[in-house]
Amino acid sequence: MSVKITTEVKKSLFKEFGGSEQNSGSIEAQIALLTMEVKNLTVHLTANKKDQAGRKALLTKVGRRRKYLAYLQRKDIVKYRELIKELGIRK
């Protein structure tokens, strides 16, 4: 089931992972938001197999999330491990 990403959902994500509702720039909050978008696009693409623009958007978001995860892994390995465990990202 996909969840529509509203401003309230974003604020709760930023509060949970970024520390406050306004801290949208923290790397953890950005990874959490991208993870939610990837899950939504995955659900969408299972129902709409021929949506090539959606598939391109999914690959773009996955690539960006991968880069952010690599950055976090280089900077703080403990936060990286906590985040992938909490988000359920297999890596």
Side-chain angles (χ1 to χ4, degrees):
M1 194 82 187
S2 67
V3 176
K4 184 169 171 94
I5 302 175
T6 60
T7 55
E8 291 83 22
V9 173
K10 283 184 184 181
K11 284 183 180 181
S12 68
L13 268 178
F14 295 152
K15 188 172 186 176
E16 183 179 351
F17 292 100
S20 73
E21 292 179 354
Q22 286 79 28
N23 192 6
S24 61
S26 75
I27 196 73
E28 294 92 352
Q30 291 180 24
I31 292 171
L33 182 63
L34 282 170
T35 300
M36 180 175 260
E37 291 173 350
V38 164
K39 287 179 182 177
N40 283 344
L41 277 172
T42 303
V43 169
H44 170 76
L45 287 173
T46 55
N48 303 293
K49 296 190 183 303
K50 294 187 177 184
D51 184 7
Q52 297 304 316
R55 190 167 315 281
K56 170 97 167 89
L58 174 68
L59 291 175
T60 303
K61 289 181 189 304
V62 168
R64 189 177 323 145
R65 184 180 69 177
R66 219 172 111 220
K67 288 178 185 177
Y68 290 165
L69 283 169
Y71 169 79
L72 185 62
Q73 187 178 18
R74 282 193 317 267
K75 293 297 178 185
D76 192 353
I77 190 74
V78 175
K79 281 186 184 177
Y80 167 79
R81 288 181 181 151
E82 288 175 3
L83 189 65
I84 61 170
K85 182 184 265 187
E86 194 171 341
L87 292 174
I89 301 172
R90 58 174 195 250
K91 185 114 169 125

